[in-house]
Amino acid sequence: MNDILALLKPYRTISIIGMEKNVGKTTVLNHIINKTRGKIPLGLTSIGRDGEETDIVTNTEKPKIYIEKETIYSTAKELFLKGDVTKEVLRTTGINTPMGEVIIGRALSDGYVEIGGPSINSEIKKISDEMLKLGAEKVLIDGALSRKTMASPTITEATILSTGAALSRSIDKVVEKSALTVRLLSTEKELNNNIISVANNLISNNRLGLIYKDLSYSILNVKTALESSKFIIENLIDEVEFIVLKGVFTDKLAEDLIKSTDKIKGKTILVEDGTKLFLSSEKLDLLFKFGVRIKVLERINIVCLTINPKSPYGYEFERERFKFKLQQCVNLPVFDVLGDE
């Protein structure tokens, strides 16, 4: 597990996102807190709620978050007042949650805290930047269930992806889903700056556009994703090189494009980042078979995969087998958050 710290060394903002609840995100967070104790001033926040004793969904025990003196953390007012550390208020943010305004504070003693920050990415980014200004050298953001958009490079510089037995009773299904998520989030970035500039301009104002080989472009006026396939098919001529999508690229759109026209062959579909790809392995492979490339404007930087072989539903996988299977399927370091200790 110490190698995680080496992987994180170049980055100032790190998100920890989970494939499911109870896959060990907070355990990873606590590990990093423990290993950096007395060495690196940390900033902590969460896009959900972390540090409570019991999971309100599964009614199972959750790891608490123990921080050291001088740690900067942001949390909703209700949780800020509950923490057993002595603390000072550094900033009020004007960002409100169901548990009150988000407050940025500093721990004046060691102790347990609960963290619950805003749920909007732009607000997380604002709070993260503020904690860096206040003296944190690294900001760790504990993610919520299915909030993979927080891994966007516009929010955090690096991402840890956590998976575990809580995802399914089948070890093969967990491995398959985890490998697919890594594959989608790590989708290749478009490197041509001229293409990136045109695509960003299209996406900032429109849902859908086409970029031609001479770098000219056209805007396709659609209001919903359902209309996208019809407009793309009608306008797909040989000179089109890129199809630029704002928002998600789904199995349904992929299937419509493949079934409707041979002209999709050789084209590149460009989306904002890997969190916008909602594709199954089957459709992804089919697109590649048809010669369709998929690229992103910003590539998500997943530095490692962490695993939790235990499920809160009363079963668990054999640790080494689970880790080995994942290592065979992903080109990333894989850490067992407890077994490697």
Side-chain angles (χ1 to χ4, degrees):
M1 285 288 286
N2 286 337
D3 288 342
I4 286 185
L5 299 185
L7 292 171
L8 299 181
K9 189 174 181 180
Y11 309 111
R12 300 186 75 198
T13 54
I14 301 115
S15 54
I16 307 169
I17 61 174
M19 295 282 298
E20 179 59 85
K21 289 179 69 68
N22 300 299
V23 291
K25 285 187 297 92
T26 307
T27 302
V28 174
L29 178 71
N30 279 331
H31 173 82
I32 297 171
I33 292 171
N34 290 335
K35 294 300 180 183
T36 55
R37 193 174 300 279
K39 301 171 186 172
I40 301 174
L42 291 179
L44 306 176
T45 191
S46 171
I47 206 162
R49 178 177 179 177
D50 292 284
E52 71 271 37
E53 293 184 26
T54 305
D55 188 302
I56 59 173
V57 177
T58 61
N59 199 31
T60 53
E61 187 177 345
K62 290 192 66 177
K64 297 170 69 177
I65 297 173
Y66 189 84
I67 63 174
E68 68 172 336
K69 180 181 176 181
E70 297 299 328
T71 299
I72 296 171
Y73 65 107
S74 73
T75 191
K77 183 177 180 180
E78 181 181 322
L79 302 180
F80 186 79
L81 296 174
K82 284 177 65 177
D84 71 359
V85 296
T86 306
K87 59 257 186 186
E88 67 171 325
V89 174
L90 297 176
R91 294 278 191 281
T92 54
T93 64
I95 298 171
N96 292 301
T97 76
M99 293 180 288
E101 183 180 5
V102 175
I103 292 171
I104 300 178
R106 187 194 313 274
L108 301 178
S109 66
D110 294 0
Y112 290 101
V113 295
E114 289 187 40
I115 52 176
S119 59
I120 298 173
N121 285 344
S122 59
E123 294 174 344
I124 280 283
K125 171 67 173 166
K126 178 182 174 184
I127 284 175
S128 174
D129 290 344
E130 193 66 27
M131 288 195 287
L132 290 172
K133 289 178 187 172
L134 289 167
E137 288 188 14
K138 287 187 188 300
V139 172
L140 304 176
I141 304 171
D142 198 339
L145 175 67
S146 299
R147 289 301 304 271
K148 297 184 181 68
T149 56
M150 192 181 57
S152 167
T154 60
I155 310 299
T156 53
E157 297 173 351
T159 295
I160 296 170
L161 180 64
S162 297
T163 189
L167 198 58
S168 170
R169 285 183 174 273
S170 164
I171 189 170
D172 290 333
K173 284 186 178 178
V174 174
V175 170
E176 181 184 343
K177 287 182 179 179
S178 304
L180 175 61
T181 298
V182 170
R183 184 180 176 189
L184 294 174
L185 294 182
S186 305
T187 296
E188 178 186 0
K189 176 182 166 67
E190 171 58 41
L191 297 178
N192 185 318
N193 288 331
N194 293 325
I195 297 295
I196 292 172
S197 177
V198 174
N200 276 324
N201 183 47
L202 280 170
I203 282 177
S204 64
N205 299 303
N206 306 281
R207 187 179 187 90
L208 181 64
L210 303 175
I211 301 176
Y212 302 93
K213 292 176 181 175
D214 63 359
L215 284 184
S216 62
Y217 62 89
S218 62
I219 297 165
L220 303 182
N221 188 22
V222 297
K223 293 181 179 178
T224 68
L226 291 175
E227 294 177 319
S228 297
S229 61
K230 177 177 179 289
F231 277 78
I232 292 171
I233 293 163
E234 288 177 354
N235 291 277
L236 208 55
I237 59 176
D238 290 344
E239 286 71 23
V240 170
E241 189 167 9
F242 291 87
I243 301 164
V244 183
L245 297 178
K246 181 177 183 177
V248 299
F249 182 27
T250 64
D251 269 1
K252 177 69 169 60
L253 178 55
E255 186 174 347
D256 289 346
L257 294 176
I258 292 168
K259 282 184 175 178
S260 302
T261 177
D262 287 340
K263 292 182 179 178
I264 193 69
K265 291 181 179 177
K267 311 301 184 193
T268 299
I269 294 172
L270 200 52
V271 300
E272 292 150 276
D273 58 58
T275 66
K276 303 298 188 293
L277 297 172
F278 288 76
L279 296 167
S280 62
S281 294
E282 293 76 17
K283 290 296 181 294
L284 202 53
D285 291 339
L286 198 57
L287 286 165
F288 289 133
K289 184 179 177 183
F290 267 70
V292 179
R293 292 180 293 272
I294 301 172
K295 290 187 177 181
V296 295
L297 293 170
E298 294 287 349
R299 189 173 188 271
I300 292 169
N301 182 21
I302 303 178
V303 293
C304 65
L305 185 65
T306 65
I307 63 172
N308 179 5
K310 288 189 176 181
S311 163
Y313 305 108
Y315 62 90
E316 64 183 279
F317 302 149
E318 195 279 313
R319 287 182 178 278
E320 289 303 320
R321 180 167 172 255
F322 184 30
K323 184 176 177 180
F324 177 78
K325 277 179 166 283
L326 276 167
Q327 285 173 325
Q328 302 308 301
C329 297
V330 299
N331 188 28
L332 284 174
V334 179
F335 298 99
D336 181 348
V337 290
L338 294 176
D340 290 343
E341 288 280 322

